[in-house]
Amino acid sequence: MQPKQAPILTVDRADTLLPFLLSHQKGKSRNNIKALLTRGQVLVDGQAVTRHDHPLVPGQTVSLRPRLQGGDLPFPLLYEDADLLAIDKPAGLLSTANEREQERTAFRAVSDWLRDRGEGRAFLVHRLDRDTSGVLLFAKSEAVQQRFQNEWNTLIRRRGYRAVVEGAPPEPAGTIRTQLRENRIHKVYSVRSGGKTAVTHYQVERLGADYALLAVAIDTGRKNQIRVHFSELGCPVAGDKVYGAATDPLGRLCLHAHELSFAHPVTGAELLLRSETPRGFSRLVR
C-alpha cells in the first residue's frame, strides 16, 4: 500500500516555516516538526528545506512527503550505476562532516544507504557549500574517487550553476578571473598575486527589479569562488551575508549546482546530470 499523500498547503501571508507548520499540523509538537525538517520531509515549492526559520512568502506551497522507510535516502537520487551515484543535495545540509557536525551530512546518509544495501561505503567526489543545493557526486569505491582526483581536468566537462544575485552584473555576460586567498578567519578574497587562479563565466538569464538570475559555469572549483567573484563584482549572491548580501529573500544562499557534465571514469560514457533550478529563484526575477 502506498503511503497517504499529505495535502499541499498554500502560504497566504509572510511567515517562517516552523510556526506555519505548527499552525497547520494539529497535534504535532515543536519537536515533532523539527524532526520532520531534520529528515528532509518538508518541501517548500517542491524543494526539501531543513531550516526551521526558513522565510515563507504568499503563494509558496508547503507539503510533507511520507516518512522514508528502512534506509531510503532523505533527498532525490539523480543517478546511480555500479561505480557512481549522484544526489540532489538540499540547501542547509553539509556535504561531509566538519568539526561541529559529524552526523547530519550528505556523506553519512549516502554511506548508510549503501551499507544497508550491502554495498560498502560512499566516497565523495567533490563538495558543495552547506547552503548550496544541487548535483553532488559520489563514487562507490576509493579507486573511482582517486581516478577523479587524478584526472579531474580531463574527466570534468562542465560544472554549471544557477545564481540569483542582488542587482545585476555590469555586463550581461562575462568572465571573472582572479587569484583567491583565504584569511585566518576562513574568508576568501581576491589578491593581485600569490593566490590560486579562479575562473567564473556568467550570463544573465533573467533580470528583475531587485535581482538577476544568472547561468554560471566554473573552470576552477576554489572554495567560495562564485560567492567571492559576484560579491567583488558588486552583485553578491542573495542570502550570502558572509560576502555582503543585504537581503535573504528565500532563507538560504541563492546558489544551485544545476548541472554536472563529465566522462565516466570507468566506461568512458559522456554523462550529463541535472537538478532543476529551485522555483523560488524564478519568483525573485519576475
Side-chain angles (χ1 to χ4, degrees):
M1 178 181 293
Q2 294 294 322
K4 184 178 180 180
Q5 183 65 43
I8 297 176
L9 306 171
T10 300
V11 179
D12 58 6
R13 61 181 178 84
D15 204 345
T16 53
L17 191 53
L18 181 59
F20 177 86
L21 289 170
L22 285 170
S23 67
H24 288 83
Q25 297 293 314
K26 303 303 181 183
K28 283 189 167 59
S29 68
R30 293 174 68 90
N31 287 339
N32 293 151
I33 297 298
K34 287 183 176 181
L36 294 174
L37 289 164
T38 297
R39 292 195 297 263
Q41 290 180 252
V42 180
L43 308 179
V44 178
D45 285 341
Q47 297 284 328
V49 172
T50 58
R51 281 180 49 179
H52 67 86
D53 58 349
H54 181 92
L56 300 173
V57 297
Q60 287 186 303
T61 61
V62 178
S63 58
L64 301 179
R65 57 183 170 193
R67 183 166 183 174
L68 299 164
Q69 301 298 315
D72 285 348
L73 287 169
F75 30 66
L77 180 67
L78 297 176
Y79 177 83
E80 184 183 15
D81 64 25
D83 305 293
L84 302 170
L85 67 83
I87 65 164
D88 193 352
K89 187 187 84 67
L93 182 69
L94 284 169
S95 294
T96 190
N98 63 18
E99 63 278 4
R100 291 185 299 245
E101 177 60 64
Q102 300 292 319
E103 299 295 325
R104 204 173 70 85
T105 69
F107 171 78
R108 174 56 67 90
V110 171
S111 292
D112 289 348
W113 185 65
L114 288 175
R115 187 183 63 246
D116 289 347
R117 301 198 314 179
E119 294 189 42
R121 53 176 290 204
F123 297 82
L124 195 62
V125 171
H126 66 108
R127 299 186 187 193
L128 296 176
D129 290 345
R130 178 199 289 266
D131 290 323
T132 299
S133 55
V135 181
L136 185 62
L137 184 64
F138 293 84
K140 291 185 175 181
S141 70
E142 190 172 8
V144 172
Q145 180 197 47
Q146 195 65 45
R147 184 83 180 269
F148 272 110
Q149 292 177 350
N150 294 340
E151 303 176 38
W152 182 263
N153 292 333
T154 301
L155 295 174
I156 300 298
R157 308 292 196 241
R158 174 180 169 82
R159 293 180 69 181
Y161 290 75
R162 293 289 185 268
V164 175
V165 299
E166 295 181 344
E171 301 292 337
T175 296
I176 309 166
R177 183 187 301 270
T178 72
Q179 293 189 45
L180 298 182
R181 180 184 294 170
E182 185 175 358
N183 65 19
R184 292 179 180 177
I185 60 172
H186 307 297
K187 190 170 182 180
V188 181
Y189 60 100
S190 292
V191 293
R192 290 182 180 273
S193 62
K196 295 181 178 180
T197 299
V199 182
T200 303
H201 309 281
Y202 73 88
Q203 181 170 349
V204 176
E205 288 206 329
R206 197 178 303 170
L207 194 59
D210 302 306
Y211 302 98
L213 176 64
L214 310 182
V216 180
I218 57 174
D219 290 350
T220 54
R222 308 302 182 198
K223 179 180 177 180
N224 296 164
Q225 172 179 327
I226 295 172
R227 300 165 62 183
V228 173
H229 276 170
F230 288 111
S231 175
E232 295 177 344
L233 202 60
C235 52
V237 176
D240 192 2
K241 295 183 179 180
V242 173
Y243 289 101
T247 64
D248 186 14
L250 298 181
R252 56 158 293 179
L253 180 71
C254 290
L255 183 60
H256 180 74
H258 167 64
E259 63 182 22
L260 180 65
S261 174
F262 60 96
H264 195 293
V266 177
T267 68
E270 295 289 332
L271 296 178
L272 174 59
L273 307 181
R274 280 192 172 133
S275 166
E276 291 300 315
T277 303
R279 282 178 279 179
F281 284 23
S282 297
R283 183 180 294 111
L284 293 175
V285 291
R286 283 177 181 169

